[in-house]
Amino acid sequence: MSQQNPVIQPPNLRLKVGGRFGAIDPAAIAKAEAALKSLSGNFAQWLSDEVVKLDAARQRVRDEGVTAETMETLYLRAHDLKGLGATYEFPLITRIGASLCRLIDDKEKRLSVSLPLVDAHIDAIKAAVRDDIKTDDHPVGRILIEELERKVAAAA
């Protein structure tokens, strides 16, 4: 007696992906992409503004000392750049921001973190912007991020 394989009915993917009314409208996607492209001329200024905020947070740590509040502000600024780097066409900054976030993520450990290593991350972000180093395909970008990630791993 042969055993029959059951027939598996796939779910209605149109309902799962596009909701009850069908797939996402390609025209809406095109419109969103066009809007993003029209904003891309502002990316350099917006990125520069974020780097200034990060640098100001670092200066506050220097001026007021390493406290829960000053380090939280620094962490939040690093986290912003981690999220925005790729959007602003600098995936290297996203990766450097992620490394800095890993370094100061733990609220207890951030009070005794190596400030020179924090400075190295911030200076690397500033150098990437200044020298238009967008990815780790660039030899300087690769060396920077690999060394920073190695130091953060060793500090953990």
Side-chain angles (χ1 to χ4, degrees), residues 53-135:
K53 291 174 189 175
L54 178 67
D55 208 24
R58 169 175 51 179
Q59 190 59 48
R60 186 169 171 221
V61 170
R62 290 176 177 165
D63 293 346
E64 299 175 25
V66 175
T67 67
E69 184 182 340
T70 59
M71 292 303 288
E72 178 71 10
T73 300
L74 183 69
Y75 174 79
L76 292 173
R77 293 298 174 203
H79 194 271
D80 285 349
L81 276 168
K82 174 182 128 180
L84 293 171
T87 301
Y88 293 159
E89 301 174 344
F90 275 82
L92 179 63
I93 289 178
T94 288
R95 195 165 162 194
I96 297 169
S99 179
L100 179 53
C101 284
R102 273 191 299 281
L103 179 65
I104 60 176
D105 186 47
D106 185 313
K107 289 183 180 188
E108 297 300 318
K109 290 182 182 177
R110 73 173 61 147
L111 297 178
S112 60
V113 71
S114 163
L115 291 181
L117 188 51
V118 169
D119 286 340
H121 280 83
I122 296 169
D123 293 341
I125 289 170
K126 291 173 73 174
V129 172
R130 180 192 65 228
D131 297 339
D132 200 37
I133 302 171
K134 295 184 175 192
T135 70

